[in-house]
Structures are given as C-alpha cells and as structure tokens.
Amino acid sequence: MDSDVGELQPPDRLLMGPGPSETHPRVLRAFGTPPVGHLDPAFLAVMDDTQALLREAFGTDNQWTIPVSGTGSAAMEAAVGNLVEPGDTALVPGNGYFGDRMAEMVRRAGGDVERLTVPWGEPLDPEELRDACEQHDPDVVGVVHAETSTGVLQPEMRAVTEAAHDHGALVVADCVTSLGGVEFRMDEWGVDVAYSAAQKCLSCPPGASPLSVNADAMEKIRGREEPVRSWYLDLSLLDEYWGEERAYHHTAPINNVYALREALRLVDEEGLEARWERHRRVSAALQEGLWALGLEPVVDEDARLPSLITARLPTGLTPGSVVETMRDEHDVEIATGLGAFAEEAIRVGCMGHGARRGPILETLGALGETLADADVNVEAGAGVAAAVETLRRR
Ligand SMILES: *Cc1c(COP(=O)(O)O)cnc(C)c1O
C-alpha cells in the first residue's frame, strides 16, 4: 500500500453546461444496482423494457431501437457508419460543430460529403435544402435537430424530411440535446435514423446512447455491398444481440442500461409533452434572467433551443474567465461558446433534472455575482428576480 492515490472526492458541482447534465437521484441508484450477466434472462427483460421506453421517447414504432454502447458520438457513428456506404453522397449541415463531426464521420465511412452552407447560429432553410438535394442528388441527408454548439433548434423538421425524401434520400437526425426535453416526433416527422445520448435531457450518466432506425434505412443497411467498417457498431451484427437471437456480440454496459431504463421511466411518468412544456417554461425564465443581467441572445427566438442557451456577454468580459469563476467560486458548470461565438458568448444548459427552478436560480445568482464582481454595471440579483417573475407569470 504505497500509492498515495486518495479516495475519490470530486467537487460537488451544479452541471448547467452543454452536458453532462444533473443526474436524477433515481437514475444514480439504478446505476449502482449490482449487475447480472448480459445474457441473463433478467437482463434480457431489462433490454426489452429499455427498448419499449426508448420507442416511446423517440415517438416511433421502429423495431430497431436500441441503446448503443458508448456515448452520443458512438450512436452518431453507428448511424452514419451503417447508413453511408463507400461512394454514397451525404448532404450534411454546415451550421455547427456537430454537423462538422457528422461530415467527418461520413468521410471516414467512405462517403462523399456535400455541405449545406448556413451561418452558425441559424437553422437550415428547407427550401435551400431542397435546392441542394436537386443539385447533389444525395443518398443521405443529415440534420442536427438540436445543435448544442450554437443553441439552434431546427424548426420545420417535416419540411426537411420531405425535401430529402422527394429526392430519394434518407434522413439521419441528431437529437442528442432534444430527446426527452424538446419536442421530437420521429415517425410523424418521417425521420429515418435518429440518435441521442443519455447525459443531456435524459439526465443519465453517459455510456449507453439511444438509436432508432426505420425499415427503409434498415433495408439500405441490409443491402450493403461492403460490410460496415466498424465491427463494433455494425447493426447487422448487433441485431444478433438486440434482436430475436440474443447471442453474444459484445458485453452490454449493463449498469448504463439500468440507468437509462430508469431515466426513461422518469420520462414516461412525467409524460413527454409535460416534459417538453417544463423545459420551455423553465428555459424561458432562465433566458429572462440572462437578458436581465445584460447578456444578449445569439439565436433568434423562433429557432432558439430551450435546452441550451447561447448568450453574448457584455463587452469586456471573456467567456473563459466567466466560466472559470462560475466553476471555481460558485461550483456551477457552464461552458464557453464554440466556433464563431468562442470569444463572445457563454452556453448555459437547461436539461432534464437541471431544468428546474432551483438549478436555474442558483445559476443566475452565481452569474450575477460573477458579473458584478467583474465590475459590470448590473445588479447581482437582477437575473434571479427576472426569472422568478417569469416563473410566476406562467
Ligand atoms: C453531446 C453531443 C454529441 C456527442 O455526444 P457525446 O456523448 O459527447 O459523444 C453529439 N451531438 C450533439 C448535438 C451533442 O450535443
């Protein structure tokens, strides 16, 4: 015993950034449940429960709805890597960091990338998408429903999928920061493949990530000439584990699945629509609080994502130092802007268990103090006051 590695004692932070979000205590308890074997009939029942609850959260009847082992990027890679074959053309949005990541995954899958050039901070225009489909004749169209790097919610998803389908392309949607927090209706909107993550609006530790694939997409995947380049994420192999056979492929992250099941049970108990409304209501109060502190919205109201707000700081303040003070002095995690907004904005999450009165008031109080201490001419409590008034009005 000569190691000086001490007991694990991470600081007690309030997680109000772009994820991970606050974990619900019931989810943590489920995570701590002793594992059984991944082929134990008891775990097979847990798999069935989780799949049924996932279908409900996505708004889909897709048989092919599973938690992928890994974080949201693994689910993204499963979606892109299975759907895109070498030589396929994929049209991928250019209005944020996660669209860029999707484009890189398309290239690695052997596909050709065409970008839709849209400024950061703005959504895609379905008419422009239609023109781009006309021009590039893509096999796959990617869309980020909730772009966490900018705080943009893609409106008119139905028009997006119609434009793609009219040109014979399948649609893959990133709903990492919307699933369970912001309206998303997979089947009704005609989304062919959707993926998410556990640690955003589902308030679950990262590690098992929702993915749903419809019959059209599965047909394309089954008809591939070349096997999927990733063995681990090959859906036709995963089918043997999550499908009828229940044969070994890889060991499922059992405790992550326990936790995800509990997180989805919470979604089911609250009700999807009630949950969307809670995120809207609490986020509106958070936003009024930010504006009362002198910050300014980066994204127009009609495309503003409730679960992640990007806010410009008063001039003279650097996002990095505000984020540091919030963390070190107040134990509140928020994040700096990214890309085009890295030098001027902060990002504040309003997700899952964090999308409640207590967490947003604590965040606004800490931010008010941080700004007042940095000699910004603002009343430290102005954000809290505005948020409370907004909550009272609703
Ligand atoms: C967080 C996030 C991801 C990636 O998820 P990880 O769990 O970090 O791998 C992908 N897309 C969006 C929009 C995200 O917010």
Side-chain angles (χ1 to χ4, degrees):
M1 278 294 282
D2 49 12
S3 154
D4 53 10
V5 176
E7 188 189 350
L8 180 65
Q9 274 181 326
D12 189 5
R13 309 260 204 242
L14 179 67
L15 300 179
M16 298 297 282
S21 63
E22 287 287 289
T23 304
H24 195 286
R26 262 174 57 187
V27 172
L28 264 187
R29 280 201 294 279
F31 194 93
T33 307
V36 292
H38 69 287
L39 294 172
D40 190 305
F43 189 67
L44 301 184
V46 168
M47 289 165 70
D48 289 341
D49 297 342
T50 308
Q51 287 186 283
L53 290 167
L54 272 179
R55 287 186 193 105
E56 193 182 308
F58 272 118
T60 186
D61 292 329
N62 293 338
Q63 180 58 32
W64 251 104
T65 305
I66 62 165
V68 172
S69 304
T71 67
S73 302
M76 185 193 284
E77 195 138 42
V80 171
N82 280 272
L83 203 58
V84 174
E85 293 175 71
D88 276 359
T89 297
L91 194 55
V92 179
N95 60 340
Y97 177 89
F98 290 104
D100 290 351
R101 182 174 295 184
M102 205 192 274
E104 178 59 19
M105 287 182 180
V106 169
R107 282 185 211 104
R108 290 183 184 217
D112 298 318
V113 174
E114 295 292 347
R115 302 308 298 272
L116 252 180
T117 42
V118 179
W120 278 47
E122 290 179 24
L124 310 182
D125 174 349
E127 282 313 307
E128 281 177 27
L129 175 68
R130 192 172 278 281
D131 293 344
C133 286
E134 191 82 47
Q135 190 187 342
H136 301 295
D137 193 24
D139 304 284
V140 172
V141 167
V143 58
V144 179
H145 180 235
E147 189 32 280
T148 325
S149 65
T150 57
V152 167
L153 176 69
Q154 178 63 43
E156 302 180 80
M157 282 290 287
R158 188 65 246 190
V160 167
T161 59
E162 271 171 13
H165 291 162
D166 286 350
H167 289 84
L170 294 171
V171 174
V172 48
D174 180 319
C175 57
V176 172
T177 300
S178 50
L179 190 74
V182 179
E183 182 177 12
F184 184 81
R185 301 178 188 271
M186 184 166 188
D187 287 359
E188 202 179 310
W189 292 350
V191 173
D192 299 292
V193 178
Y195 60 85
S196 190
Q199 76 276 16
K200 312 262 172 136
C201 295
L202 297 176
S203 276
C204 178
S209 301
L211 172 73
S212 186
V213 181
N214 75 5
D216 291 344
M218 220 43 213
E219 191 184 312
K220 180 172 186 333
I221 292 168
R222 291 219 163 89
R224 289 177 63 105
E225 281 172 19
E226 190 188 286
V228 176
R229 292 183 176 180
S230 164
W231 177 88
Y232 193 69
L233 298 172
D234 183 339
L235 288 181
S236 53
L237 297 178
L238 286 173
D239 197 15
E240 292 167 19
Y241 182 51
W242 286 95
E244 300 282 295
E245 265 175 82
R246 299 291 165 97
Y248 172 69
H249 174 259
H250 69 267
T251 307
I254 294 153
N255 294 60
N256 288 90
V257 177
Y258 285 170
L260 185 62
R261 176 182 179 277
E262 190 62 18
L264 292 163
R265 249 163 53 84
L266 284 161
V267 174
D268 176 61
E269 276 173 27
E270 184 173 359
L272 260 182
E273 306 216 351
R275 208 168 156 103
W276 299 336
E277 174 52 27
R278 169 166 62 86
H279 279 75
R280 264 197 303 273
R281 181 170 44 81
V282 175
S283 178
L286 170 64
Q287 291 173 48
E288 287 309 319
L290 292 171
W291 319 148
L293 287 171
L295 285 79
E296 286 173 3
V298 161
V299 179
D300 286 347
E301 199 163 5
D302 49 1
R304 201 177 299 153
L305 180 62
S307 49
L308 192 285
I309 307 300
T310 308
R312 252 187 213 99
L313 290 168
T315 37
L317 289 178
T318 54
S321 68
V322 170
V323 167
E324 232 171 76
T325 306
M326 290 286 283
R327 182 192 62 215
D328 297 344
E329 308 278 324
H330 303 288
D331 275 320
V332 178
E333 177 175 286
I334 58 169
T336 64
L338 281 177
F341 310 113
E343 305 301 321
E344 53 188 69
I346 55 171
R347 290 180 300 147
V348 184
C350 184
M351 303 178 187
H353 198 51
R356 290 177 303 133
R357 169 190 189 84
I360 65 149
L361 294 185
E362 186 173 336
T363 303
L364 289 167
L367 185 61
E369 260 191 79
T370 302
L371 298 185
D373 288 348
D375 290 332
V376 175
N377 184 17
V378 68
E379 217 157 312
V384 173
V388 168
E389 282 311 312
T390 310
L391 288 170
R392 286 187 67 208
R393 275 203 304 274
R394 292 280 196 119

